[in-house]
Amino acid sequence: MSRQANRGTESKKMSSELFTLTYGALVTQLCKDYENDEDVNKQLDKMGYNIGVRLIEDFLARSNVGRCHDFRETADVIAKVAFKMYLGVTPSITNWSPAGDEFSLILENNPLVDFVELPDNHSSLIYSNLLCGVLRGALEMVQMAVEAKFVQDTLKGDGVTEIRMRFIRRIEDNLPAGEE
């Protein structure tokens, strides 16, 4: 019985390592295809956004999470449910703004950067920028416009990875005239 339990753990570890290496290959190809890091960062954000737009349906179906009533509740769901479900990590939520419209997600361990070292000629590359796009895309589908950006990155020598989230506005449903 312990052999089967061990197999499941090995399978998850191998799966996460394969994901990490595949993501690394994607970023490497983008660096070859685009002339500067800023264009690569934009592409990663755009790809993440498109993933987030589609991923939210899977998340809502699998998590059984209801509608969040405020940005604090949204932050909890992102950190404690979504990150755990898809990346196997639980970031801490810190640095709330006095107005309650901004917070930071602190990742002690970013699984996307395992096995990664940034070359000196890519110092402005935001390697995990896909995550910011995923967050923006997913939250937009549940009527929340947000800004997400990296403010600290372990690949750049920081002690932790920090994603800063800022609530912009609630998106109103645009229903066709006569349909409410």
Side-chain angles (χ1 to χ4, degrees), residues 164-176:
R164 189 75 181 158
M165 300 282 300
R166 183 175 68 88
F167 178 79
I168 299 171
R169 65 183 165 83
R170 180 154 301 279
I171 301 169
E172 300 298 323
D173 286 333
N174 292 327
L175 296 174

Side-chain angles (χ1 to χ4, degrees), residues 6 19 23-24 28 30 41-43 49 68 75 78 80 83 91 95 98-99 102 113 118 120 127 133 136 138 154 179:
N6 199 18
F19 173 69
Y23 182 72
T28 300
L30 287 173
N41 294 339
K42 286 178 187 170
Q43 279 304 117
Y49 177 86
C68 295
I78 290 168
K80 295 175 183 167
F83 267 83
N95 302 328
E102 288 187 48
V113 302
L118 284 182
D120 292 337
Y127 183 84
R136 278 189 323 101
T154 55
E179 291 185 28

Side-chain angles (χ1 to χ4, degrees), residues 56-78 81-82 85 138-139 141-144 170:
I56 189 67
E57 287 182 37
D58 177 70
F59 173 75
L60 293 172
R62 290 177 53 197
S63 69
N64 296 319
V65 171
R67 179 173 286 278
C68 295
H69 295 80
D70 59 25
F71 202 44
R72 284 188 184 273
E73 190 178 345
T74 302
D76 279 342
V77 170
I78 290 168
V81 184
M85 184 183 292
L139 290 173
M141 292 298 101
V142 291
Q143 283 73 46
M144 292 183 91
R170 180 154 301 279

Side-chain angles (χ1 to χ4, degrees), residues 42-57 129-138 140-141:
K42 286 178 187 170
Q43 279 304 117
L44 287 169
D45 182 73
K46 183 178 175 182
M47 293 168 82
Y49 177 86
N50 289 329
I51 290 168
V53 163
R54 289 163 181 79
L55 194 64
I56 189 67
E57 287 182 37
N129 210 36
L130 183 98
L131 294 176
C132 291
V134 169
L135 290 164
R136 278 189 323 101
E140 191 171 298
M141 292 298 101

